[in-house]
Amino acid sequence: MKTVMIVCAGGATSGLMGQYVVKSAKEQNLDAVLLFPEDVKFKDDFLKKNSTRDLVVFMGPVTAITSARFQDYEEQVDAVLVAPQVAYMFQEVEKVLSEIGIPCEKMDSLAFGRMEGQKILAQALALSDKF
């Protein structure tokens, strides 16, 4: 199972992009689901419900990526993609995540703007394979 978090300013556009990513994954015959951060927070329950899936995508606000707040998710996340509208916060996100060994990237701006789930899926899968 690969788990990718997509973050934006408040969670709305990351949720929409997450839907497109999951749709693209299903078109590739992957067992994929989009979840809310609350669904991922409790490790044991999350693993019990999703361990057989190929891909879990969840979305949320970029403000969830702080040392104090992210500790609830760090073991459940393989990679984080940062939406273009919060790219100015990327260095801060990268610093927090690099301390716990989670790779992150800025999302492809053009693919995000066009809501191209297939391109973002490819980016997410490649990123989650880095560690």
Side-chain angles (χ1 to χ4, degrees):
M1 170 181 60
K2 295 183 188 274
T3 306
V4 176
M5 182 177 191
I6 298 175
V7 295
C8 67
T13 56
S14 59
L16 183 59
M17 176 51 74
Q19 289 175 19
Y20 284 107
V21 169
V22 167
K23 180 182 177 198
S24 295
K26 288 181 177 183
E27 289 170 355
Q28 295 181 20
N29 295 317
L30 296 174
D31 180 4
V33 66
L34 177 64
L35 300 176
F36 292 99
E38 296 79 28
D39 299 323
V40 179
K41 187 174 184 176
F42 301 103
K43 180 182 172 186
D44 293 336
D45 190 46
F46 167 72
L47 291 175
K48 182 179 174 183
K49 292 178 181 176
N50 297 289
S51 63
T52 60
R53 295 190 187 279
D54 297 311
L55 177 66
V56 173
V57 177
F58 74 106
M59 46 47 149
V62 71
T63 55
I65 314 272
T66 64
S67 296
R69 295 180 80 190
F70 201 71
Q71 62 188 321
D72 292 332
Y73 307 102
E74 67 184 74
E75 291 182 35
Q76 295 89 281
V77 178
D78 296 316
V80 174
L81 289 173
V82 178
Q85 69 266 39
V86 291
Y88 67 93
M89 295 181 72
F90 181 76
Q91 287 182 328
E92 182 180 326
V93 168
E94 185 177 42
K95 181 179 184 277
V96 170
L97 296 177
S98 68
E99 291 173 2
I100 53 178
I102 297 174
C104 66
E105 285 182 355
K106 295 176 189 175
M107 254 186 270
D108 178 299
S109 297
L110 190 56
F112 184 83
R114 293 179 176 169
M115 288 288 151
E116 293 176 332
Q118 212 163 29
K119 286 186 179 180
I120 300 301
L121 172 63
Q123 184 182 7
L125 293 176
L127 181 61
S128 66
D129 285 339
K130 284 189 175 181
F131 284 82

